[in-house]
Each structure stands twice: as structure tokens, then as C-alpha cells.
Amino acid sequence: MASLVLVSGLFGVGIGAQLLKTLPDDFRHTPGSWAWLSYDVPSYATLPGQFNRSVFEAPGEAVATDPEVVALNRQLNETDFVAYDDRFFDFVGPDATVEKVITLAHQTHEAPCWVPGTKDIFFVEWGPPGGDNGVHNYQYLLNTETHKLRNVTTDPPTVNVHGCVAYDGALYVVTDGGPSESAYFAKIDPKTWKRTTLLNHYYEQPFGSFNDLEVDNDGNFYLTDSRSGYFRNIIPFTPPTNPSTYFVDGKTFRPKAIQITTGNANGVSLSPDGKTIYLPNTGVSGGDGKDPYGERGLWAYDFATSGGLRKAKVPVLTNARLLTNPIANFYDGIRVSKDGWIIAGANDGVDVIDPVDGYILGSIRVGGDGEAVSIVLNGHDIWIVGRGGVWHVSNIRTALTDSKK
């Protein structure tokens, strides 16, 4: 999209622009289009007319009566980057672009991770209506240079993958399970596509429906177990317990519940120093549709450390704190950059969040015809998978990982 500064059209040039804060000089003519929403602009802090949107919709989707607000929302729906904080300009920089690299069905796509030693991203189509009643025994590989998409099936087939991380040359995945098997945690060799199941029960209690996972620097894993598979009729049995987050020892695969919610478990990520875990609660989305009064906060927890001679981190959480509620919808997949910025998929884009004050710095939009779900960070790039396809955000000023694959 071309860079947008003023709105023209039905309401005339400049209408709606006075509600926006003026962009920094080097962002007025950029490859990507920008808007800056700031409450220190009095006309934005006190909008004219009537306006309304639900918590599930982005600001640009609000219904408004005043022509200037209508024009503003039209512009927001055409931008690539929406800043809420001046730090967002430093984070993204003026050279970043957003490109939709492949169009897919308006269906949830999940579990992206970089395949070690390749230029491919592994991801899946998740849940109904795809496949045989929503049960999938295949996954996708997207070549990030040619944008060629192909299917892959593991040996034995892996059904309903929901989350993935790459670690030590392998892919580690969690699944919802299916009609004939409960949720499980598995390792996949990307050279042979052999799959080894590592964990499928908690002392003979089945897991409910694994959603996502993270790995720490010591090779221990953090798995979120949700109601999502039951809500989407992927599994036939009622979840055996409330949604939970499990710590799994990377050597013994012994599981331990470290967090439980009456909402729903979803994404998970760790701070770069491994001392904090971030967990979005998605109880707002349930089996009977979306409840605007359900839980949708992004929470941070610290790890308690033992005293005395023991210096190792132990899997006990402390200091729970609400970082933020999303501006729109709920946070699904989340990842943390090497400098600690939280990047999370929500609604029509991904949000960049400060890990200390919890302010949302800005949103990187995938457009009104898509919905961001999960992400992969790579050097100065973000790859987004979600409803409607895959998007590539390139040339971000801030290095997100130590090196580019």
C-alpha cells in the first residue's frame, strides 16, 4: 500500500486527518502505509458523534456517525502499521513492509515454526471445516524464498497439530488429539519426518487439548492445555480438567501443572532471560461463540527460585500480573524478541507490547480480509499465519532474533 497521510474521497481531502497525530518526517513517505493514534490529540481523545465497536473488532471497524470518524476508520482499514506509542516507530523503522505471500481459505492456520537447516516454515490448517470433519493428518511447508507450498505427512501421521517450536535440530509439536487418541506432545525429525510421541497423559489422566508450547534455554518445555479442541468438535470427550499450563522436564518428560485457569489456555512464551513466562487467557472465546465478558488478558508470571545451595530455576510461578487486554479480540500465538518485546497475534494484525508497562506500542496489520493467529520471528522479519493466508513483514529496524535463518 502507498503511504497515507491525508484521507480523500467521499468526505473530501483531509477529513479525518485532524484526528491523527502527525507522522515523524521519515515516516511520511515510506514503502508501508502508517497511521498514528494518540490520546494527546484532543480531537481524538474526545471523538465527535456516536461510535461503537465490540471488543472483538479492530478500531477501524467501529460504527460511527460523524464523517470525520468514518473517514478515519476508512484510513485505518487501509494502513499497514498503526502506532499508539512513539516507541513503535523506533521498533519498526521506516523501511518495513507487509506482504501477503500466499492466499488460503479463511480458516485458522496455526503452529508455525522454522524448519531447522532449511528455508521452510512448517504450519498447519487447524480444525473444521477442512479435512475429514476437521481431522488433519498432514501439515504444510512453505518455502520462504519461492513461496511454494507443499504438504508433508509424518511417519506415523501426526493429527491435529496445534503448536510447534524448533529446538536442537528438531521440531517439537503439541496436538489436540482426535476421535481415537488424546492430546500428545511429540518430536519430529525434519530430515526423515519420523514422529516420536514423548508424552500423552498426566498419571493416566488424558490431557484436554494441547494448544501451544515453548522451550527454554535448558531444553525444558511449557505446554498449554485448552478446551479448544472440545469447543471445535475435534475431540469427542469433555476436557478432563480446567485449562492448564504444564512444565515438562526436557530430560525425563515428567509433567507438572504450573498454572490453571477457568478461562482458556492458549499461547505461551518466555522472556529472553527465562525468568518470566507470558500467558494470554482466551476464555472470551468458547464453544457457544464469543463472550465479551470472558477473560482475554495477557498475564506475566515470574519463576520462583529456590534458596540455599540450589540455584536452579524450579517450575513454580509467582508475581502474577495483568500486562494488558488486547485492543481487539484476544491474543493467540505469542513470541518474544531477543530484546524482550512481546509480539502477539490478534484480530487483523499483530501487536507489539512492552513487557514492563504493558502498553501496546502499535499494530502490524494483515488487512481486513485476514486474521493474524500465530507468528515466527526471524532476524528482522515476522512471518504471520492465520485466517486467509500467510504474511511476511520484512525490513523491521529492530533485530528480533540473533541471526536470520
Side-chain angles (χ1 to χ4, degrees), residues 260-282:
I260 298 174
T261 176
T262 56
N264 203 18
N266 205 305
V268 55
S269 199
L270 296 167
S271 62
D273 61 9
K275 295 180 179 180
T276 303
I277 189 169
Y278 303 106
L279 297 170
N281 194 322
T282 59

Side-chain angles (χ1 to χ4, degrees), residues 28 104 198 247 256 325 388:
R28 295 190 184 188
L104 299 168
L198 303 173
F247 169 87
K256 177 186 185 294
N325 254 10

Side-chain angles (χ1 to χ4, degrees), residues 373-397:
V373 177
S374 296
I375 61 174
V376 173
L377 308 180
N378 182 32
H380 292 263
D381 297 354
I382 303 174
W383 292 84
I384 305 169
V385 302
R387 289 182 178 270
V390 179
W391 293 261
H392 179 205
V393 187
S394 59
N395 299 319
I396 294 173
R397 174 185 284 164

Side-chain angles (χ1 to χ4, degrees), residues 289-341:
K290 294 181 177 179
D291 174 9
Y293 302 107
E295 298 178 60
R296 62 190 191 97
L298 173 63
W299 289 81
Y301 302 81
D302 295 330
F303 287 97
T305 53
S306 56
L309 297 177
R310 294 191 59 197
K311 301 298 183 182
K313 179 177 64 181
V314 295
V316 173
L317 302 187
T318 187
N319 193 24
R321 55 201 182 276
L322 175 68
L323 280 182
T324 191
N325 254 10
I327 291 173
N329 210 20
F330 58 84
Y331 289 138
D332 199 310
I334 66 171
R335 287 293 179 248
V336 176
S337 75
K338 73 183 189 70
D339 293 331
W341 301 106

